[in-house]
Amino acid sequence: MDLSLKTVSYSQDRKDWLGSQHGTDVLRSVTLDVSTFTKATHYPDGYLKSGLPIGKITATGKYGLYDDTKTDGRQTLVGFLWTGVEVIDHRGNASTSVGGSMLIHGFINTAKLPVTVDAAGWTDVASRIYTV
């Protein structure tokens, strides 16, 4: 039995990127491929940040970071990560896939997103996600 002292840090999830509560009651469950995210940028504290833009990987059906330069399905923006998701556990072990939820309809404050989204991405979601 390990009775040594351990320190666990918790992160406060920010949702200031939401333009309103509209659409937050219709979230979609997703499985995220962690290898498509960069640790230093997207989960420096062990959690994927809410508000990250995501696309669906065609070959696996999993979701990853939206990137218009890719050809694996992630070049099409489909939604935004709704809430922060733990990727690295308290022992420092990284997951390869994690479950999460995706906002697919609503209003977004683009200035508050954790990363920028290009014009092609906004065109992908123009009929269901609105910017403020």
Side-chain angles (χ1 to χ4, degrees):
M1 176 186 306
D2 182 5
L3 297 176
S4 61
L5 181 63
K6 300 208 180 345
T7 302
V8 177
S9 298
Y10 296 95
S11 175
Q12 178 68 31
D13 192 27
R14 294 179 47 196
K15 292 249 181 18
D16 57 352
W17 54 271
L18 281 174
S20 77
Q21 292 297 312
H22 179 79
T24 61
D25 59 337
V26 188
L27 303 172
R28 179 170 291 164
S29 294
V30 295
T31 300
L32 301 163
D33 181 341
V34 178
S35 70
T36 67
F37 299 90
T38 305
K39 183 180 188 306
T41 305
H42 306 118
Y43 57 100
D45 59 358
Y47 290 82
L48 289 170
K49 299 175 183 180
S50 69
L52 287 171
I54 52 181
K56 187 173 185 176
I57 303 167
T58 309
T60 64
K62 293 181 182 179
Y63 292 77
L65 183 68
Y66 162 76
D67 184 342
D68 191 46
T69 66
K70 301 298 180 189
T71 59
D72 61 359
R74 291 183 293 138
Q75 70 273 15
T76 303
L77 178 62
V78 295
F80 292 85
L81 188 60
W82 166 244
T83 189
V85 177
E86 184 179 38
V87 175
I88 299 177
D89 67 20
H90 67 281
R91 293 186 178 130
N93 300 320
S95 299
T96 56
S97 293
V98 292
S101 53
M102 176 176 63
L103 180 77
I104 58 171
H105 175 76
F107 293 88
I108 291 182
N109 182 343
T110 58
K112 301 284 185 165
L113 287 171
V115 297
T116 58
V117 175
D118 61 14
W122 291 119
T123 299
D124 294 338
V125 295
S127 65
R128 50 192 176 79
I129 295 180
Y130 306 94
T131 60
V132 293

